[in-house]
Amino acid sequence: MSRKTLLLAACCILAFSFQSVFMMLTHSAASDEEMYLLAAYRYVVQGKIDIAIDHPPLVKQLAGLPYLFMKLKFPTEDVEGVLARDEPFNQWMYGARFLYSMGNPAEQMIIRSRLMFVPFGI
């Protein structure tokens, strides 16, 4: 492989990395991201797979890894009660509550979870 090819590849990887980080710092959570972060926390930190069970667990595991090192509040009693009673579970409502209404650092949570996927893009 020539030096030009290696230099071009390195420049592309660097540009992709900068673009990824810039975009995640300047964009708010996607419509379903709140729910997936709720599910990621529940899966990784609490070890329970009962939210967003229709998706494979790898993405939730990766997104939830940073939460192992953060002190976060989770609506445990509410979630446990709704799931135990087999009531319809509004995972989007609880996801928004988890991120924005419980005093958790939502921006840090979103960015740290997103950072877990940049190496896969590279």
Side-chain angles (χ1 to χ4, degrees):
M1 200 177 284
S2 72
R3 290 185 84 170
K4 275 186 174 178
T5 304
L6 288 174
L7 183 61
L8 180 62
C11 287
C12 288
I13 289 171
L14 192 61
F16 174 80
S17 301
F18 282 127
Q19 180 185 14
S20 297
V21 172
F22 176 76
M23 296 303 281
M24 73 177 62
L25 291 173
T26 59
H27 285 73
S28 61
S31 61
D32 60 350
E33 198 169 6
E34 298 164 347
M35 181 266 298
Y36 287 119
L37 296 182
L38 175 80
Y41 180 89
R42 181 111 166 132
Y43 188 75
V44 173
V45 177
Q46 296 180 342
K48 298 186 179 183
I49 309 169
D50 50 11
I51 300 174
I53 58 173
D54 52 336
H55 294 282
L58 177 63
V59 172
K60 288 184 275 190
Q61 288 173 325
L62 290 172
L65 276 177
Y67 299 162
L68 289 171
F69 309 102
M70 298 175 76
K71 289 204 178 264
L72 302 174
K73 296 175 188 160
F74 186 84
T76 304
E77 296 80 23
D78 297 342
V79 170
E80 295 285 349
V82 170
L83 293 172
R85 290 188 302 269
D86 199 27
E87 295 176 12
F89 183 69
N90 187 340
Q91 43 200 11
W92 289 271
M93 178 190 74
Y94 282 104
R97 186 170 161 210
F98 174 58
L99 282 176
Y100 305 117
S101 300
M102 300 192 73
N104 292 324
E107 190 172 319
Q108 288 180 24
M109 293 168 64
I110 294 167
I111 291 170
R112 289 179 187 187
S113 290
R114 289 175 177 176
L115 278 172
M116 299 302 295
F117 298 98
V118 173
F120 290 99
I122 293 172

